[in-house]
Amino acid sequence: MSYPEQFQGFATNDPKDWASPKLTSYQPKNFGARDVDIEVECCGICASELFALKNGWSHEPMACLSSKYGPKTQVVGHEVVGKIVAIGPEVTLCKVGDRVGLGAQASSCMKCSRCTSNNEQYCAKSVGTYCDPYEDGYVSQGGYASHVRAHEQFCFPVPPEIPSEFVAPLQCGGLTVFSPIKRNIAGKQNPRVAVIGIGGLGHMAIMISKALGAEVYAISRGYSKKEDASKMGADHFVATGEKDWNKGLDDHFDLILNCASSTTSLDLNALLPCLKVNCNFVSVGLPDIGEDFNVKPFSFFHNGCNMGSSKLGSREEAIELMQLAVEHNFRPWVETLKVSEAGVSEGLTRLDQGDVRYRFTLTGFHEFFGTGK
């Protein structure tokens, strides 16, 4: 491997091969004035990777096939932790040698009203850490790799108190739930938060809601995760597979946060009346492109509730989240896997089968790639 001309990572360009990315060398994007290179130490495995590798969020061919330069294959991974080894001439937010985290966003315009109001994740020119074209036509490559290149704004300082394997899931999964929880319950007295889906996102949402002072309800179809939810900090558990599960829950919640990655079992007409007046149902779990929400207009009528979504979080929120984890001593539930073709395949396959409680982090990058020296 010749650095920085070539990175190495685990890639594929055919959805049929989603479970078996192969080690490859590739050209990184052209180096920008505010770009940094991260030598990867570890990287979380997120459900987004499954959708990306299966091309489940698009009716078009995989984006990497249309890249104007660089690889025609795709490396995924956007829960990156590592050390900065190179910086552009205009970088001010970090320096070589810093341990940083990188989440699901790698760039934005940094000039628009959203970028200048701590909403850079909603920038119209936002570029995701993988599977997303830059303005020059390069399709972004992610963190199942020796290195990753990104704009400094999206490389967050990491508190020394948190080991890297626990930092990784906070970069995407944790930030994705922290932003809407904070924005929806800030300033409220004794807020109640309902978390639907006790998985990779939901288990962190329980911990974060509790740390932010909420009374937390974990909502799942059955009782198999009740004990785990209690250990994570949930005050109550609701199984929607039970008859009359919503009895007594009308006008109850300041926020319902949907963390499930499928909409097929959501009874929105039963869930929405559980919200207090003008409060929100926010969905952060993104399903396959073929799935829809099914809801009757009358379900909004009696409490004036709202439905919406939330995208990632800002740099400010990412830093605040990690400080919250330090102060309240919560950590994602993580199983580590050694990075390799076999390790990547195992993680993706087991995640697809639901065989994880509740996040995977790929480790051993320095040993595998011969970095970290």
Side-chain angles (χ1 to χ4, degrees):
M1 179 177 64
S2 176
Y3 174 78
E5 288 79 17
Q6 292 285 306
F7 294 171
Q8 286 185 310
F10 300 92
T12 183
N13 61 7
D14 190 333
K16 296 194 299 292
D17 298 327
W18 66 267
S20 53
K22 301 301 182 185
L23 181 64
T24 184
S25 295
Y26 58 95
Q27 176 188 0
K29 71 172 284 287
N30 293 334
F31 200 79
R34 294 187 65 186
D35 281 349
V36 304
D37 280 350
I38 302 171
E39 184 181 72
V40 181
E41 177 188 349
C42 62
C43 186
I45 296 180
C46 181
S48 301
E49 271 98 81
L50 291 178
F51 285 102
L53 292 171
K54 292 180 179 182
N55 209 28
W57 286 338
S58 175
H59 293 304
E60 302 297 325
M62 289 183 72
C64 62
L65 297 173
S66 63
S67 186
K68 292 184 178 179
Y69 69 98
K72 300 291 186 180
T73 56
Q74 185 62 62
V75 176
V76 297
H78 59 202
E79 295 183 337
V80 178
V81 183
K83 181 177 70 175
I84 292 180
V85 292
I87 63 173
E90 297 179 12
V91 167
T92 61
L93 296 176
C94 46
K95 63 183 184 302
V96 170
D98 286 352
R99 183 174 69 135
V100 297
L102 170 69
Q105 186 175 4
S107 183
S108 71
C109 78
M110 298 305 301
K111 299 175 182 177
C112 68
S113 61
R114 297 179 181 186
C115 285
T116 56
S117 63
N118 292 316
N119 285 303
E120 63 267 24
Q121 68 270 36
Y122 296 107
C123 175
K125 295 183 178 181
S126 169
V127 178
T129 301
Y130 60 75
C131 292
D132 215 4
Y134 283 89
E135 287 189 328
D136 67 358
Y138 186 91
V139 173
S140 56
Q141 301 290 322
Y144 295 6
S146 60
H147 302 80
V148 64
R149 183 168 289 174
H151 190 285
E152 63 168 333
Q153 176 76 11
F154 305 97
C155 300
F156 314 127
V158 173
E161 296 90 339
I162 312 178
S164 294
E165 64 266 28
F166 299 110
V167 172
L170 296 175
Q171 302 310 299
C172 173
L175 182 57
T176 293
V177 297
F178 174 74
S179 180
I181 295 168
K182 178 193 171 187
R183 294 185 186 204
N184 280 272
I185 70 171
K188 295 188 176 182
Q189 294 294 317
N190 305 313
R192 291 194 189 110
V193 173
V195 176
I196 302 172
I198 316 307
L201 290 173
H203 92 283
M204 286 186 278
I206 291 172
M207 299 176 190
I208 290 166
S209 297
K210 195 66 181 175
L212 289 173
E215 183 180 353
V216 184
Y217 286 66
I219 298 181
S220 190
R221 282 173 286 185
Y223 288 102
S224 65
K225 297 180 180 178
K226 182 177 180 179
E227 184 177 349
D228 284 357
S230 178
K231 292 177 181 177
M232 294 162 191
D235 301 287
H236 311 277
F237 192 90
V238 177
T240 58
E242 294 291 305
K243 184 180 179 181
D244 297 327
W245 63 266
N246 55 344
K247 187 176 181 180
L249 294 180
D250 279 8
D251 191 33
H252 209 69
F253 299 118
D254 297 275
L255 169 67
I256 298 177
L257 185 68
N258 174 44
C259 299
S261 58
S262 175
T263 62
T264 55
S265 63
L266 285 180
D267 186 354
L268 291 171
N269 298 306
L271 285 162
L272 294 181
C274 298
L275 285 163
K276 296 178 183 178
V277 171
N278 292 148
C279 288
N280 297 326
F281 174 99
V282 178
S283 190
V284 293
L286 287 177
D288 185 273
I289 195 170
E291 294 190 31
D292 296 304
F293 285 128
N294 185 8
V295 61
K296 296 182 182 298
F298 277 100
S299 297
F300 300 89
F301 185 68
H302 294 288
N303 59 0
C305 68
N306 304 286
M307 280 183 64
S309 189
S310 178
K311 182 183 180 185
L312 310 178
S314 67
R315 176 184 178 85
E316 181 180 77
E317 288 169 331
I319 294 169
E320 186 177 346
L321 167 61
M322 286 185 277
Q323 289 303 320
L324 190 74
V326 171
E327 293 167 11
H328 291 266
N329 197 33
F330 66 80
R331 304 288 184 269
W333 289 21
V334 167
E335 178 181 345
T336 59
L337 299 170
K338 288 290 186 181
V339 70
S340 65
E341 288 183 357
V344 169
S345 180
E346 178 187 350
L348 292 170
T349 301
R350 287 179 55 192
L351 179 58
D352 187 58
Q353 296 168 346
D355 180 22
V356 55
R357 293 212 172 174
Y358 284 87
R359 300 293 287 201
F360 288 127
T361 299
L362 294 165
T363 61
F365 280 65
H366 294 334
E367 180 182 3
F368 184 89
F369 291 109
T371 53
K373 298 174 183 178

